[in-house]
Amino acid sequence: MRKAILGAALLALTSVASTTPAQAAACGGYVGLTFDDGPSNAHTPALLNALRQNGLRATMFNEGQYAAAYPAQVRAEVGAGMWVGNHSYTHPHLTQQSQSQMDSEVSRTQQAISAAGGGTPKLFRPPYGETNATLQAVEAKYGLRQIIWDVDSQDWNNASVDAIVQANARLGNGQIILMHEWPANTLSAIPRIAQTLASRGLCAGMISPQTGRAVAPG
């Protein structure tokens, strides 16, 4: 009986040992896939399904107003293995606002995402990528790392599926791409994005709050 148990344990260890290095070897680097402007009942479920089916994880930069309106979708993002970041409450041009207005946009979103079950965000993406020293001081107050992007997929600008896939193909280790949850072409591109990254030995990683770069999920 002891031999049988030992044999089974050894077999289990062997199978773990055989899969882990292979999975590690498959990731020659990590990239940060990001999707702005959610969540919504209209787009979030299909996007999460596509990401899960293709073995991808991403950072969802949520607007506070939508996190408050669709808390179940925030929970769905977390449940699907995604990370949730702060993308302001109403998506204004923050650099045209006062410090108190900036503070309100950031803090209300922190609260809305937390109340919805998305945890307390550690990453902040300013709308339109517009930032200044005042905004960065507000971000620091809430312990947020500002995340812009290395590659813009142009999906917000009617980029084709091919163009979105090609934009992802330009990513290097540690780099981050801007995408959005609402363009139909982005949803259609997901399977090919997964194939393209895999063919280059890249995996979809998390964005480090320490460095602001894509790293292995931890």
Side-chain angles (χ1 to χ4, degrees):
M1 182 70 177
R2 273 188 71 196
K3 277 186 177 177
I5 293 169
L6 282 169
L10 193 61
L11 186 64
L13 281 170
T14 307
S15 67
V16 168
S18 65
T19 56
T20 308
Q23 288 166 348
C27 293
Y30 292 89
V31 298
L33 306 180
T34 69
F35 295 89
D36 290 9
D37 297 352
S40 69
N41 289 340
H43 305 292
T44 305
L47 177 59
L48 294 179
N49 281 340
L51 291 168
R52 287 177 77 169
Q53 286 169 7
N54 290 280
L56 297 176
R57 298 176 73 183
T59 301
M60 321 299 285
F61 281 105
N62 286 348
E63 291 180 36
Q65 60 181 340
Y66 299 136
Y70 306 107
Q73 298 302 344
V74 177
R75 291 192 293 276
E77 290 172 342
V78 174
M82 309 303 155
W83 301 278
V84 181
N86 182 326
H87 192 41
S88 81
Y89 203 86
T90 62
H91 207 279
H93 291 277
L94 287 172
T95 54
Q96 298 172 17
Q97 295 197 327
S98 68
Q99 184 162 349
S100 64
Q101 287 173 315
M102 291 177 182
D103 194 293
S104 174
E105 284 282 333
V106 172
S107 64
R108 288 165 67 211
T109 304
Q110 290 292 91
Q111 292 161 8
I113 290 172
S114 178
T120 302
K122 297 179 174 68
L123 306 176
F124 178 77
R125 169 163 287 159
Y128 314 102
E130 296 169 352
T131 187
N132 61 19
T134 307
L135 178 58
Q136 286 165 40
V138 171
E139 294 163 10
K141 175 182 171 181
Y142 294 99
L144 290 161
R145 161 71 67 163
Q146 178 174 279
I147 304 298
I148 309 293
W149 53 82
D150 298 290
V151 177
D152 180 351
S153 70
Q154 291 282 316
D155 63 348
W156 54 272
N157 196 25
N158 275 332
S160 66
V161 174
D162 284 347
I164 294 166
V165 173
Q166 286 160 14
N168 278 271
R170 297 203 301 274
L171 288 169
N173 181 37
Q175 291 193 319
I176 294 164
I177 187 165
L178 169 68
M179 293 182 284
H180 296 77
E181 80 147 40
W182 48 267
N185 285 347
T186 302
L187 180 64
S188 299
I190 299 293
R192 287 175 56 196
I193 290 170
Q195 291 162 6
T196 299
L197 294 178
S199 72
R200 299 177 59 229
L202 294 172
C203 294
M206 66 177 279
I207 300 172
S208 166
Q210 286 72 45
T211 66
R213 309 302 291 156
V215 296

